[in-house]
Amino acid sequence: MGSSCTGSSRLDPAALLDAFLAVWRRHGEPLLKSAPYHEIAPHLVLMAFLHRVINGGGTLECEYAIGMGRMDLCLRYGAVTLGLEPKVWRDGRPDPLAEGLIQLDDYLAGLGLDSRWLVIFDRRAGQPPIAERTDSATRISPRGRSIHVIRA
């Protein structure tokens, strides 16, 4: 698991975030172009990235809300529980940030967590290359939770 775990095999969420951003910047476009299922390709890439944590002794739980455009992920590794909400921003749709913060708030409340990730994959036409537009910032949710918003 490399730099996302400490020497004592504890998950370091900040290092995991940095590793995901580096992988996405470098490999995001080729991975999306090669994926046969364009609608769910970003979710598959994120889940494949997280799979390395599962291989190191963690678990990844997925909750799907079919028809509602939701997929909640819960990554558990030792004492760390990481709630994630991946969203896809498509042409003709508003920025999913506000909706995602509300959804993640509800999900985190159910898990008893205060801080985690909202990953927004921008699939709109005419965007700069992934390497140029991928970034991360902390936002406060409507219920006051600190959320890492990843724009990918």
Side-chain angles (χ1 to χ4, degrees):
M1 291 206 333
S3 63
S4 59
C5 287
T6 65
S8 62
S9 295
R10 290 184 17 206
L11 183 69
D12 179 349
L16 185 67
L17 175 60
D18 289 344
F20 174 70
L21 292 173
V23 165
W24 186 252
R25 283 182 184 116
R26 186 168 183 184
H27 303 292
E29 289 187 68
L31 287 170
L32 291 177
K33 288 178 183 173
S34 67
Y37 304 105
H38 297 288
E39 290 297 312
I40 196 160
H43 297 88
L44 294 174
V45 170
L46 177 61
M47 290 173 64
F49 173 81
L50 295 172
H51 195 266
R52 70 189 198 158
V53 177
I54 297 167
N55 286 342
T59 60
L60 183 63
E61 302 164 15
C62 303
E63 293 182 25
Y64 301 95
I66 304 298
M68 296 179 65
R70 292 188 61 177
M71 180 174 78
D72 301 318
L73 301 172
C74 182
L75 178 68
R76 297 179 192 274
Y77 188 90
V80 175
T81 301
L82 179 63
L84 300 100
E85 176 75 29
K87 304 294 279 179
V88 177
W89 189 358
R90 293 184 174 84
D91 286 322
R93 302 283 186 145
D95 183 345
L97 176 64
E99 176 187 28
L101 288 173
I102 292 167
Q103 289 175 350
L104 193 52
D105 240 350
D106 292 342
Y107 186 53
L108 292 175
L111 292 173
L113 300 174
D114 290 322
S115 173
R116 295 306 174 236
W117 297 5
L118 171 61
V119 185
I120 300 174
F121 294 98
D122 193 342
R123 302 289 287 150
R124 297 173 300 152
Q127 296 304 304
I130 284 175
E132 293 176 18
R133 70 176 188 256
T134 298
D135 70 351
S136 170
T138 302
R139 298 288 298 262
I140 302 301
S141 73
R143 293 186 187 166
R145 288 180 172 82
S146 177
I147 307 294
H148 292 287
V149 176
I150 296 116
R151 298 263 185 190

